[in-house]
Amino acid sequence: MVALKAWALLSAFTLAARAGSTVWSGSFNSYSTSADFDLWSWSNQVGSYQWYIHGSGATSKYLALDSSYKNPAATSEQRGLKLTIDQTSNWNGQTMERTELIPQTTANLGTGNLFYHFSVKRGTTNPPNSAYEHQICFFESHFTELKYGVGSNPTNLVWMVGGVEKWSTPFSADTWFNFAYDIDFSAGTVGLWASTGGSALTKVVSNIAASTSTNSADWHLGVLRIITAADTEDWYFSGVYVESGPITTSIGSGTSTGTTSTTTSQTTTSTTTTTTTTTPAPTTTTTTTTSAPTSTGTGATAAHYAQCGDKERSTG
């Protein structure tokens, strides 16, 4: 009887920890090498990601895959992503440094209550420069996003809603920071769940009003740095997916090494806003490899740069 009760409690906990339904998976399991991202093009929209916002170098200069690049707690993942920005990362004539992936999907990522999950880390080699503003995992309208290099403490990761700081945490090296944007597109609100390492997500900011909107292809997984400079930065991403509620709070197996506890703060800070405008001139480059995602089941036919509008907002 005791064992039965224990099993029932464990089952209830498991359901509570993972009770959502995945709407879009951004797992890197189907990408063996960086060359696999090149299989996607405007005329061959395959895989989980659109890959066109990057510099003039080879894809291997900006994206790399390895099992050491993932959150160790994410046991279902084979590999994570190392994403690099440097002085060659200017996209489409812009002076900003950008390396970004866009969801490739026919799913509606802008309806009901959805949770946008991702984990991000920095190391001690090629760390981000806190002297410059960075926009991380942002929507085209910037109704919610992470930032680095802004606010009263530029070394913090800062969560923004409509350009206003709502929460922050020290961005410690070699620590996985797990996030889920809690977006209610029907109610027009957004909240934040967060944790580190293999710890379960907890809600750190309750949902507040926001101008929630997406065309299902304008969430940018990656980094935009407002300034081009000579230094190189490496960012690491893992655990990327979008789910419908209730939220999955567990991070893989729930165990991870190399994690640290962090002190967080919830604030409301207004910032100055400027706008950078460009006029894209679409180009198509297709590189063929012998392996990688070939399924078109999740591919949507998208117009050139329909996912990326002509404005990027700087809030420093």
Side-chain angles (χ1 to χ4, degrees):
M1 180 64 71
V2 173
L4 183 61
K5 287 182 177 178
W7 179 86
L9 288 172
L10 179 60
S11 297
F13 173 79
T14 301
L15 288 173
R18 187 166 190 87
S21 176
T22 300
V23 178
W24 169 77
S25 173
S27 169
F28 300 109
N29 286 354
S30 62
Y31 294 84
S32 298
T33 70
S34 59
D36 292 344
F37 290 96
D38 289 325
L39 289 181
W40 182 92
S41 70
W42 295 112
S43 59
N44 185 43
Q45 297 180 22
V46 298
S48 299
Y49 289 103
Q50 299 177 9
W51 170 235
Y52 65 92
I53 304 176
H54 54 81
S56 58
T59 293
S60 58
K61 187 177 181 65
Y62 309 114
L63 301 178
L65 296 156
D66 194 82
S67 59
S68 64
Y69 300 158
K70 74 180 185 71
N71 186 337
T75 52
S76 65
E77 293 191 330
Q78 300 171 17
R79 58 191 67 88
L81 179 73
K82 181 175 77 170
L83 183 148
T84 299
I85 57 172
D86 62 19
Q87 60 185 341
T88 72
S89 300
N90 303 135
W91 171 70
N92 207 49
Q94 297 177 349
T95 58
M96 299 174 285
E97 294 183 6
R98 305 182 66 170
T99 303
E100 301 154 30
L101 293 164
I102 302 288
Q104 174 64 45
T105 181
T106 56
N108 188 344
L109 303 184
T111 183
N113 191 186
L114 298 180
F115 300 88
Y116 281 66
H117 290 258
F118 63 94
S119 298
V120 61
K121 187 190 82 166
R122 73 174 183 90
T124 54
T125 302
N126 296 333
N129 190 334
S130 62
Y132 306 129
E133 177 186 333
H134 300 68
Q135 301 172 1
I136 308 144
C137 296
F138 58 92
F139 286 86
E140 189 64 29
S141 68
H142 295 269
F143 76 84
T144 194
E145 63 194 317
L146 287 181
K147 288 197 176 186
Y148 181 75
V150 301
S152 57
N153 191 340
T155 61
N156 280 3
L157 270 180
V158 178
W159 181 59
M160 297 271 194
V161 177
V164 178
E165 179 180 342
K166 296 297 181 181
W167 179 91
S168 69
T169 188
F171 194 20
S172 308
D174 295 320
T175 296
W176 279 103
F177 291 84
N178 313 305
F179 295 99
Y181 297 156
D182 183 342
I183 308 171
D184 192 328
F185 288 95
S186 300
T189 65
V190 61
L192 184 67
W193 297 71
S195 72
T196 57
S199 300
L201 293 168
T202 59
K203 196 158 193 178
V204 293
V205 182
S206 297
N207 282 50
I208 56 178
S211 300
T212 56
S213 67
T214 180
N215 64 358
S216 300
D218 70 344
W219 183 55
H220 300 239
L221 177 77
V223 179
L224 181 158
R225 191 170 84 170
I226 296 298
I227 299 297
T228 295
D231 54 332
T232 297
E233 298 183 1
D234 292 332
W235 296 71
Y236 299 85
F237 292 93
S238 181
V240 183
Y241 66 102
V242 177
E243 70 173 339
S244 59
I247 189 173
T248 296
T249 56
S250 62
I251 306 297
S253 65
T255 59
S256 176
T257 58
T259 63
T260 60
S261 60
T262 58
T263 303
T264 62
S265 62
Q266 184 173 344
T267 60
T268 300
T269 305
S270 298
T271 56
T272 302
T273 298
T274 60
T275 300
T276 301
T277 303
T278 63
T279 303
T283 59
T284 300
T285 301
T286 304
T287 302
T288 302
T289 63
T290 57
S291 63
T294 57
S295 169
T296 57
T298 59
T301 301
H304 288 199
Y305 305 147
Q307 305 85 336
C308 186
D310 62 357
K311 295 180 182 179
E312 293 305 337
R313 179 166 53 186
S314 168
T315 54

